[in-house]
Amino acid sequence: MTHTPGILYPLGDGLARLLAPNPSPFTGEGTWLHLIGTERLAIVDPGPADPVHLDALVEAIAGRPVEAILVTHTHRDHSPAAAPLSERLGAPVWGCAPLVVPGNQEAGFDTSYAPDRILTDGETIELAGAAFETVHTPGHTSNHLCFAWGHRLFSGDHVMGWSTTVVIPPDGHMGAYMASLQKLQARTETLYHPAHGEPVEDPQRLLRGMLTHRVQRERQLLRLIGEAPAPLADLTLRAYPALDPRLRPAAEATALAHLITLEERGAVTCVGGTWKV
């Protein structure tokens, strides 16, 4: 099913979602933001600061009070709309901590993000007549949060409904990502609402598959290095032989995240740019 940006799609139980107009090989159809509530609202992941998108969102809100704008993490397809939306609506921005990492950081971060309240792991907040629990799920980014609402989990980019999650060092960490998947396995939510793709109706099955996929990728990289030590670019081409060239930088970054985690375990080492067992 193809969706139209700017159209409000009801999901039942006082929940609706709206698609931002930012399709790409990395976002799928675009970023889904979620509106929770009927008379009073909370918003999860307002999306990019696109004027057309902001106008569509304000129209969907239809004058209802917004008690808070929640942000899962500070990638530029998730958080930049928070500030202009807050200014237009008078709603506070609550969510993950701002992320300022020195050194060679990826370009996809929103460095302007400035929340009114930083939420911490296990914190319970009351919004739109309902209780939300904050779940810290580092890995995709170190500041990534999910939000539990009853049997539902707003999973941001940690668990997506259309693709595997990219993990980009130095802030993204594969070991932390896999640990966060295991953390979600121990929880009881039965329906996930990701920021990209369709709702996940059997999240435990998906979590098992995601963890299996990551373990298999680790084993593949170890096997490839054992066959022939190589630099990262060569290993990526061998590991992803049929990859869309547009996705090669993301695949290379995720492969590096695996290699860094393997290096931390003492399984591999990098000498002069060449990875060896």
Side-chain angles (χ1 to χ4, degrees), residues 115-205:
D116 298 293
R117 177 177 173 181
I118 296 172
L119 301 176
T120 58
D121 185 43
E123 189 170 354
T124 299
I125 53 177
E126 295 287 336
L127 291 172
F132 292 79
E133 181 189 352
T134 302
V135 186
H136 184 214
T137 50
H140 175 61
T141 61
S142 62
N143 64 350
H144 195 287
L145 302 177
C146 296
F147 298 103
W149 176 51
H151 72 288
R152 304 174 187 264
L153 184 82
F154 298 97
S155 59
D157 278 4
H158 186 69
V159 176
M160 299 193 293
W162 80 290
S163 174
T164 56
T165 298
V166 175
V167 178
I168 302 178
D171 182 68
H173 189 279
M174 187 60 67
Y177 176 73
M178 294 173 73
S180 292
L181 290 177
Q182 293 170 329
K183 180 178 183 177
L184 293 187
Q185 282 187 308
R187 297 185 59 85
T188 60
E189 289 81 23
T190 57
L191 182 60
Y192 286 11
H193 296 284
H196 304 282
E198 294 306 296
V200 178
E201 297 181 349
D202 189 352
Q204 288 296 329
R205 180 180 179 182

Side-chain angles (χ1 to χ4, degrees), residues 83 97 122 182-183 209 232 242 246 259:
Q182 293 170 329
K183 180 178 183 177
L232 174 63
R246 296 174 299 173
L259 292 169

Side-chain angles (χ1 to χ4, degrees), residues 2 5 32 34 38 58 73 107 122 143 151-152 154 169 196 201 203 210 216 229 233-234 236 240:
T2 301
W32 285 106
H34 291 87
T38 52
V58 170
H73 66 295
N143 64 350
H151 72 288
R152 304 174 187 264
F154 298 97
H196 304 282
E201 297 181 349
M210 293 169 72
Q216 289 174 341
D234 291 350
T236 303
Y240 302 86

Side-chain angles (χ1 to χ4, degrees), residues 43-79:
I43 295 172
V44 178
D45 277 349
D50 178 282
V52 173
H53 170 58
L54 286 167
D55 287 344
L57 179 53
V58 170
E59 183 177 348
I61 291 167
R64 292 173 289 178
V66 175
E67 294 184 344
I69 302 164
L70 301 177
V71 177
T72 63
H73 66 295
T74 48
H75 274 153
R76 288 189 292 184
D77 58 324
H78 287 257
S79 60

